[in-house]
Amino acid sequence: MTAAGYSVMGVTAVFVATLAVGAYGWRFSRTTSDFFVASRTVRPGLNASAIGGEYLSAASFLGVAGLVLAFGTEMLWYPVGWTAGYLVLLVLVAAPLRRSGAYTLPDFAESRLESRGVRRLSALLVVAIGWLYLMPQFQGAGLALASTTGTGSWLGGVLVATVVLVNVLFGGMRSITFVQAFQYWLKLTALLFPLLFMAAIWLGDGAVSPASVDVADVGGTGDSWVSPLAGGEHEVYTTYSIIMATFLGTMGLPHVVVRFYTNPDGAAARRTTLLVLALLGLFYLLPPVYGGLGRLYAPDLVASGRAESVVLELPSRMLAGTAGELLSALTTAGAFAAFLSTSSGLTVAVAGVISQDVMGRRFGGVRAFQAGAVVAVLVPLGLSLLTEGVGVAQAVGLAFAFAASTLCPLLVLGIWWRRLTDVGAIAGMLVGGGCAGGAVLATLLGVGPEGWGGALLAQPAAWTVPLSFLTMVGVSLATPRRVPRHAARTMVRLHTPESVQLDRGNAPR
């Protein structure tokens, strides 16, 4: 059998296993609450595995190794930031968000600020961020399947969208929770098992350091590859901007936030976050090793513009014959598990918002959720088939900067500052989102200036996030009469443990 045949078998096995695990969850999905938040009964261990499954997208599975191969160790700030974002979630958001009793982030915004306008704007932002994240998942699936099997670049995205839609339509959050938990451990295995064999080969070759490869067109010279902040005049600003985007953008991602609504209580949400930190830390040990080994055994991938495929191709390059082909098929299967798990979480999050804020006018309950799921998948799938050239890393970077500049300030100030007003929240999200979106789009279109102007536009989070916070605070202080009538009661509900008996108001359940 050829290498392409093994890859097809691996991808097919992932699709079949995903549908089988999802079908197991269908049996438990009966009520509207099951479809939206799994009836808030998901325990920390299962929920942490599911979060790890959906959070570790193609950008983590393929992109981190490619970035380390091409640009060196300074790219490790991405996995560090993506992991540390959950530490910020743990400290500031996890338990209060669960105690809010909301189903979606727009639910929380309306409950906290008592404003339909804030709800509409936050719903629009959730859908925009979700679709921005879904597009590269479908495009990446198409390119990955095409590169390993020679099929059309559209097929992989259509297959992923179909499997995701089937599971979401029949099982909702209840079914997707089991699927994503399974896929986290599949992705970890798909990276770890081949790496054991490749590490043995590397040790047998004398354990040569990747930094000793001094080739200018392979991620720069050895010194610049191994030394952070050695690549340009604005590297310090760029690094801190990346840190701010990744640390704060995590809490604004809709598929991340919605998982905390599935915990039984605030204490379980905190325990879930602690476990997630451990699972992410374990996973992120592996992709940088692929990047380092790729510098030794597959340096040509950088010059050919295929650095992100190092995870898929490295096993077959280091191990000759059937063994290498089988291990490459395993990493290909892991990549499709990443596409499926992240797409599933995003679909549930976007479908929940669409069903409540759009479809709820025509349908009700489960039917509204299912109709929202169809829209949540078909729109970004269509856009991914019509557009080309939007890379996974670019789209993910835009999503993090955009989320950090919009929904992050809304959550932090909404949870911790009683004087936040609806006008202040809307102004902050418009200013932060407008500046962040405009800056990154200008960079992607190639219309940004040189020098400091270009650096500020390419990585805008360092100035757009503070600008959004300051706008929310300043406008709120200027409109004190717009403070919600029941702000004090809402704050008590957010910050008091569930074990304390008190009047928690009329939060949606």
Side-chain angles (χ1 to χ4, degrees):
M1 183 177 293
T2 64
Y6 291 127
S7 295
V8 170
M9 288 180 58
V11 172
T12 302
V14 170
F15 285 150
V16 172
T18 298
L19 290 172
V21 175
Y24 172 78
W26 299 349
R27 302 183 303 163
F28 306 102
S29 300
R30 297 290 183 269
T31 67
T32 302
S33 184
D34 284 329
F35 276 79
F36 275 89
V37 290
S39 292
R40 306 188 193 278
T41 58
V42 184
R43 297 298 172 182
L46 178 60
N47 212 12
S49 295
I51 291 174
E54 74 173 3
Y55 189 59
L56 297 171
S57 66
S60 296
F61 193 90
L62 302 176
V64 170
L67 288 172
V68 172
L69 167 62
F71 302 107
T73 56
E74 68 180 275
M75 293 297 104
L76 293 177
W77 279 118
Y78 281 101
V80 169
W82 290 334
T83 305
Y86 271 94
L87 182 60
V88 180
L89 264 174
L90 172 65
V91 174
L92 297 179
V93 172
L97 194 62
R98 170 58 189 89
R99 296 188 191 112
S100 71
Y103 282 111
T104 64
L105 199 150
D107 278 343
F108 167 80
E110 182 182 21
S111 174
R112 168 62 180 86
L113 295 170
E114 302 172 18
S115 167
R116 292 290 298 178
V118 176
R119 181 189 182 95
R120 294 189 187 98
L121 180 56
S122 59
L124 179 63
L125 292 173
V126 166
V127 173
I129 293 171
W131 284 348
L132 182 65
Y133 231 118
L134 275 168
M135 281 180 57
Q137 304 305 317
F138 296 147
Q139 287 181 328
L143 293 175
L145 190 63
S147 65
T148 54
T149 65
T151 59
S153 59
W154 58 271
L155 182 60
V158 172
L159 291 175
V160 167
T162 301
V163 173
V164 167
L165 194 55
V166 168
N167 273 334
V168 173
L169 283 177
F170 289 100
M173 179 64 81
R174 178 78 74 179
S175 176
I176 292 304
T177 297
F178 293 116
V179 169
Q180 290 173 331
F182 159 73
Q183 286 169 338
Y184 168 80
W185 296 104
L186 174 60
K187 286 184 282 189
L188 185 67
T189 303
L191 285 184
L192 180 59
F193 191 67
L195 190 57
L196 297 176
F197 291 91
M198 293 188 294
I201 293 176
W202 174 66
L203 291 172
D205 290 342
V208 179
S209 171
S212 64
V213 180
D214 192 14
V215 182
D217 61 349
V218 184
T221 62
D223 289 339
S224 66
W225 187 86
V226 78
S227 301
L229 308 181
E233 56 181 331
H234 306 304
E235 288 299 311
V236 173
Y237 166 81
T238 299
T239 298
Y240 278 104
S241 192
I242 291 172
I243 291 172
M244 182 169 289
T246 53
F247 276 41
L248 300 180
T250 300
M251 73 175 70
L253 300 178
H255 61 302
V256 170
V257 173
V258 74
R259 293 238 51 115
F260 289 97
Y261 300 136
T262 65
N263 283 118
D265 51 45
R270 282 202 174 100
R271 288 195 296 271
T272 296
T273 311
L274 282 173
L275 291 173
V276 169
L277 285 169
L279 294 179
L280 295 184
L282 176 62
F283 180 89
Y284 278 130
L285 291 174
L286 306 179
V289 181
Y290 275 81
L293 291 176
R295 186 174 172 86
L296 295 173
Y297 295 95
D300 58 291
L301 293 178
V302 179
S304 62
R306 296 185 295 118
E308 288 188 346
S309 67
V310 63
V311 170
L312 304 178
E313 298 189 24
L314 190 61
S316 60
R317 293 196 180 203
M318 293 185 66
L319 284 86
T322 303
E325 294 173 351
L326 286 172
L327 292 177
S328 284
L330 179 59
T331 59
T332 302
F336 272 85
F339 297 132
L340 287 167
S341 57
T342 301
S343 299
S344 298
L346 288 163
T347 300
V348 170
V350 175
V353 172
I354 292 176
S355 65
Q356 287 196 340
D357 293 271
V358 180
M359 297 297 178
R361 300 172 184 176
R362 294 193 173 190
F363 308 103
V366 173
R367 287 187 62 196
F369 179 88
Q370 292 172 331
V374 173
V375 176
V377 169
L378 292 184
V379 171
L381 176 62
L383 292 174
S384 70
L385 296 176
L386 293 174
T387 59
E388 296 181 359
V390 181
V392 173
Q394 289 179 324
V396 168
L398 174 58
F400 268 85
F402 196 72
S405 304
T406 53
L407 300 180
C408 167
L410 174 66
L411 285 169
V412 173
L413 294 178
I415 290 172
W416 294 100
W417 191 43
R418 188 183 68 85
R419 298 172 65 184
L420 180 67
T421 67
D422 57 340
V423 179
I426 291 173
M429 286 189 288
L430 289 176
V431 170
C435 291
V440 180
L441 284 176
T443 302
L444 295 181
L445 294 173
V447 297
E450 298 292 332
W452 266 108
L456 291 171
L457 292 179
Q459 295 292 342
W463 58 275
T464 57
V465 174
L467 183 61
S468 180
F469 271 101
L470 290 174
T471 302
M472 284 193 186
V473 172
V475 175
S476 295
L477 291 176
T479 56
R481 294 185 179 181
R482 303 285 298 188
V483 174
R485 288 182 55 195
H486 304 103
R489 173 180 291 185
T490 303
M491 298 299 281
V492 169
R493 184 172 69 245
L494 295 179
H495 295 283
T496 305
E498 290 84 351
S499 59
V500 177
Q501 298 298 319
L502 50 83
D503 179 9
R504 295 181 180 272
N506 298 315
R509 294 283 176 183

